[in-house]
Amino acid sequence: MTITITAFERSPDRGKGLARDMRVRWALEEAGQPYGVRLLSFKALKEPAHLALQPFGQIPTYEEGDLALFGSGAIVLHIAERHGGLLPEDANARARAIAWMFAALNTVEPPIFDRALARILERDEPWYEQRLRVLEDSIRKRLGALSSRLGDADWLDGAFSAGDLLMVTVLLRLKGSALLDEFPTLSAYVARGEARPAYKRAFDAQLAVFTAASPG
Ligand SMILES: N[C@@H](CCC(=O)N[C@@H](CS)C(=O)NCC(=O)O)C(=O)O
């Protein structure tokens, strides 16, 4: 059955691969599943046809036969459960990999995303520097704990899993920042994720969309 996902017609990150369709593309590439992409404008995101698929008017969504899903975490979990390569066979190891998926989205992503938003929307506020410091301190705490847990290992719990896939995409938002550089273990972890052939295919595919929409 054909898989169709949605993505931005013109991603605000200019093809850096930070939009959440990237996670889904990467998971599909790891799973060896072909997929099509329906590109949407910001206006189309808030129209009834898309709201029927994604109640909050966001990308990504996932359609396969009569199944429609929203939420990048739920979609990646669905792909990982249906296909090999993203979750271990052993039941306990599988549960732990899923715990890392939740940790990426619930524990590590919120302060990182809030910092990104603050840098765009709150820069002119008189309290901006103070807010940034608070957010960066909480990011540092999360990165410190994550870095200690990862230690010398390549991946968070044995073989590469959907937990690593989500964690790497979350950390990528800090790529090139002094914050991530403070944790060389995590910089190397992110680089290992980016070096995976499936990541590269997904990255190139989303970049091609941006390039086609912005020639020259
Ligand atoms: N929790 C959702 C968040 C989705 C989300 O924030 N998508 C962003 C792009 S990365 C979006 O569509 N933003 C446009 C908007 O909210 O209007 C998920 O993981 O899929």
Side-chain angles (χ1 to χ4, degrees):
M1 233 170 311
T2 314
I3 295 171
T4 304
I5 68 168
T6 50
F8 286 131
E9 184 177 80
R10 187 182 292 245
S11 181
D13 75 359
R14 308 181 60 80
K16 289 202 186 107
L18 300 178
R20 288 171 174 86
D21 60 295
M22 180 62 201
R23 302 162 179 187
V24 175
R25 292 174 183 272
W26 186 6
L28 287 166
E29 292 290 351
E30 292 282 354
Q33 295 300 305
Y35 62 97
V37 185
R38 191 164 61 252
L39 299 174
L40 297 172
S41 65
F42 275 92
K43 182 168 170 286
L45 284 182
K46 310 300 175 195
E47 286 170 355
H50 187 66
L51 288 172
L53 291 173
Q54 216 292 7
F56 307 107
Q58 298 177 314
I59 60 98
T61 57
Y62 174 101
E63 290 153 83
E64 185 180 16
D66 54 11
L67 174 68
L69 287 175
F70 65 93
S72 56
I75 298 170
V76 170
L77 179 58
H78 172 77
I79 296 165
E81 282 181 327
R82 292 295 181 287
H83 308 283
L86 284 167
L87 284 175
E89 291 294 322
D90 173 76
N92 286 354
R94 198 173 178 94
R96 289 196 304 273
I98 294 172
W100 278 116
M101 296 177 70
F102 278 86
L105 301 185
N106 286 352
T107 308
V108 181
E109 182 165 50
I112 294 178
F113 190 68
D114 286 351
R115 172 182 178 269
L117 271 192
R119 281 159 56 94
I120 298 166
L121 301 177
E122 296 169 356
R123 214 168 249 287
D124 295 333
E125 300 293 347
W127 37 260
Y128 172 69
E129 292 299 336
Q130 194 184 350
R131 166 133 169 94
L132 199 61
R133 260 199 308 280
V134 170
L135 286 171
E136 293 194 341
D137 282 349
S138 65
I139 293 172
R140 248 179 223 108
K141 280 192 194 122
R142 297 302 188 219
L143 297 189
L146 187 64
S147 171
S148 301
R149 173 54 81 98
L150 182 63
D152 294 334
D154 279 354
W155 307 114
L156 288 165
D157 192 321
F160 176 83
S161 78
D164 295 296
L165 184 151
L166 289 181
M167 193 65 83
V168 167
T169 59
V170 163
L171 296 177
L172 271 165
R173 203 174 277 283
L174 295 174
K175 190 177 165 183
S177 76
L179 263 175
L180 190 61
D181 293 347
E182 286 173 32
F183 300 90
T185 299
L186 296 182
S187 298
Y189 172 63
V190 168
R192 273 193 294 283
E194 289 178 294
R196 293 181 70 84
Y199 175 90
K200 289 185 182 166
R201 288 194 296 275
F203 183 89
D204 290 348
Q206 64 77 39
L207 179 59
V209 172
F210 180 77
T211 309
S214 317

